[in-house]
Amino acid sequence: MLQCSTKPLLVCKKNIFSLPNILIFSAFFIGILFLLIGSFFDLRISKFLASPWLKNGQYYTSNIFSNFFEVIGCITISLIICFCINILGFNLKFINSKKLSLVLQTIVFCSSIAFVVNEIYQDEIYAVIDIFTNQKWSYDSSLQMLSICLALILGILIWLSTYLFIKTFSKETIVQLLKWSIISIAIITFTFFTVSILKNLLPRIRFRSIMYDFGGDLNRFQNWYELVHLDRDNVFAGIKTDHTKSFPSAHTSYTSSFLTLAFLPLFCNKFKTKKWQLFLFIAPIALVIIVAFSRVMAGAHYTSDVSMGFLIAFCFTVFFFKATPIQKFKWLSSNYSIIIFSLIPVSMLIGSIYGIS
């Protein structure tokens, strides 16, 4: 007889009504529910939450809560990427060839730092500068250099913190985390490019862009399910590309990548205690809710945007960890697999630079 209490929280699959399945179905249902609510009340919700903080022609909100969690939303994916890449980097040390190991670790370090810097400095650092300098989306070379330097420092701190944290693990734990790290990178990659492609295929004007570019003309609002029928040349004429990337929410999908932490006990004995299981399940969900709320309050996204961002990341996470036997594939632990997945941040970085995201 299966003893659920001795198994990781998301492993016990006694029947379709088991606790893990109920939790998964509940999270999916809540995401769908808020997508439906947003479909009918997006504009009303944004007017209520965001309008009071978007005054005097500001593009970025003056709400400290929203600005703080805008940065947090991007830092979460940076933490996960750096954590996973560092796990791969530590496993590269176990390769017999020291020269090859050193070269690969250098590539891993540079690619992860470059990805983090690119993601953070484009919007998050600019947002801070915008608020404190009143530049209103106009930056000279000195401000750009300042934002890049600040992002570089933050990127190195994120990478270093995850490196030092993993260094406290035993070799056995690091090896156990290898498959989880590779699967997590795959989930983040699919989520990243799916969200990025949708943002470009289905441009939607942000609420704060309506307030900033169109003087609060609410007739510019579009529902998410109407985006495919828009006359884009007329609707988006004269506004910046970023102002039309409301749907879906990248920050929410990035934060939802933290949901992969809930599956750590499947792979690593270190995290199979009840305290770790509860923390790794509750903390990511709580963070997703807070970041999603802050994005709506910032006027950067509507309720349907953040709901779709969550659903995309959630579906990929469940698919890779629960619906497929991918964690059983032996090739995931091979050196070739480690090398390939170590270079994935490079593809995401190139995608960002060339405007895919």
Side-chain angles (χ1 to χ4, degrees):
M1 183 175 179
L2 180 61
Q3 297 296 323
C4 298
S5 60
T6 62
K7 297 288 184 180
L9 183 62
L10 295 177
V11 174
C12 180
K13 297 190 287 186
K14 193 173 182 179
N15 54 58
I16 194 173
F17 298 108
S18 63
L19 178 60
N21 289 332
I22 290 175
L23 292 173
I24 290 173
F25 289 139
S26 298
F28 181 76
F29 173 78
I30 291 172
I32 293 293
L33 176 62
F34 276 92
L35 180 62
L36 291 174
I37 291 174
S39 299
F40 292 98
F41 304 105
D42 263 345
L43 187 56
R44 293 184 183 180
I45 294 172
S46 292
K47 283 175 61 179
F48 177 74
L49 292 177
S51 290
W53 306 99
L54 295 171
K55 297 178 180 180
N56 303 321
Q58 292 176 312
Y59 180 72
Y60 286 112
T61 180
S62 58
N63 184 277
I64 297 176
F65 170 83
S66 298
N67 289 316
F68 176 77
F69 281 100
E70 179 170 7
V71 178
I72 294 298
C74 199
I75 287 179
T76 50
I77 191 174
S78 302
L79 282 170
I80 289 291
I81 283 287
C82 286
F83 182 82
C84 294
I85 292 297
N86 271 314
I87 289 293
L88 269 60
F90 273 93
N91 278 275
L92 287 173
K93 289 183 178 180
F94 307 144
I95 296 177
N96 294 329
S97 174
K98 292 185 178 180
K99 290 184 178 180
L100 176 60
S101 175
L102 180 61
V103 170
L104 290 174
Q105 288 182 67
T106 301
I107 294 174
V108 166
F109 170 76
C110 292
S111 64
S112 57
I113 291 296
F115 171 78
V116 172
V117 170
N118 185 70
E119 284 300 308
I120 295 175
Y121 110 87
Q122 288 191 65
D123 294 315
E124 280 62 36
I125 301 298
Y126 271 16
V128 174
I129 293 175
D130 183 85
I131 292 165
F132 287 100
T133 64
N134 296 316
Q135 288 293 318
K136 296 184 180 180
W137 203 255
S138 175
Y139 306 102
D140 56 29
S141 58
S142 60
L143 285 175
Q144 283 191 334
M145 185 57 65
L146 174 62
S147 67
I148 293 174
C149 291
L150 291 174
L152 180 60
I153 293 172
L154 183 57
I156 292 175
L157 288 175
I158 291 173
W159 185 90
L160 186 61
S161 63
T162 56
Y163 177 87
L164 294 176
F165 178 60
I166 294 170
K167 201 171 182 180
T168 63
F169 295 173
S170 65
K171 180 178 178 180
E172 179 186 4
T173 299
I174 293 173
V175 172
Q176 289 176 347
L177 288 173
L178 177 59
K179 285 187 178 180
W180 174 87
S181 298
I182 289 176
I183 296 172
S184 295
I185 291 174
I187 291 169
I188 292 170
T189 304
F190 275 94
T191 300
F192 176 86
F193 283 106
T194 300
V195 170
S196 299
I197 290 171
L198 286 176
K199 278 179 174 289
N200 286 275
L201 289 179
L202 302 173
R204 186 186 194 186
I205 299 175
R206 301 179 189 270
F207 180 79
R208 65 187 181 191
S209 179
I210 292 176
M211 306 300 290
Y212 177 79
D213 294 306
F214 303 107
D217 181 9
L218 299 181
N219 291 321
R220 295 283 183 169
F221 169 79
Q222 321 104 23
N223 286 304
W224 70 271
Y225 50 83
E226 300 172 332
L227 300 180
V228 293
H229 305 296
L230 288 178
D231 181 358
R232 301 182 185 185
D233 293 335
N234 292 325
V235 174
F236 303 129
I239 62 175
K240 296 181 179 294
T241 303
D242 178 74
H243 295 200
T244 66
K245 291 188 174 183
S246 182
F247 181 84
S249 170
H251 281 76
T252 306
S253 65
Y254 289 172
T255 308
S256 298
S257 65
F258 253 35
L259 293 172
T260 59
L261 294 176
F263 294 89
L264 270 174
L266 295 177
F267 299 85
C268 184
N269 295 329
K270 181 182 178 69
F271 301 103
K272 286 186 177 179
T273 63
K274 289 185 177 180
K275 289 184 178 179
W276 268 115
Q277 290 181 52
L278 288 173
F279 174 78
L280 293 174
F281 185 81
I282 295 174
I285 292 178
L287 187 59
V288 170
I289 293 172
I290 294 173
V291 170
F293 180 78
S294 72
R295 299 306 287 154
V296 177
M297 180 175 284
H301 296 287
Y302 301 98
T303 303
S304 58
D305 298 336
V306 297
S307 300
M308 184 62 74
F310 163 75
L311 287 171
I312 291 171
F314 178 79
C315 288
F316 277 126
T317 301
V318 173
F319 175 77
F320 277 99
F321 278 119
K322 298 286 285 183
T324 66
I326 191 171
Q327 61 264 37
K328 298 180 181 178
F329 295 166
K330 294 182 179 180
W331 62 267
L332 286 176
S333 300
S334 67
N335 290 338
Y336 296 108
S337 178
I338 296 175
I339 294 171
I340 292 171
F341 280 89
S342 296
L343 299 178
I344 281 181
V346 177
S347 67
M348 297 170 70
L349 173 62
I350 294 172
S352 294
I353 292 174
Y354 282 93
I356 294 178
S357 68

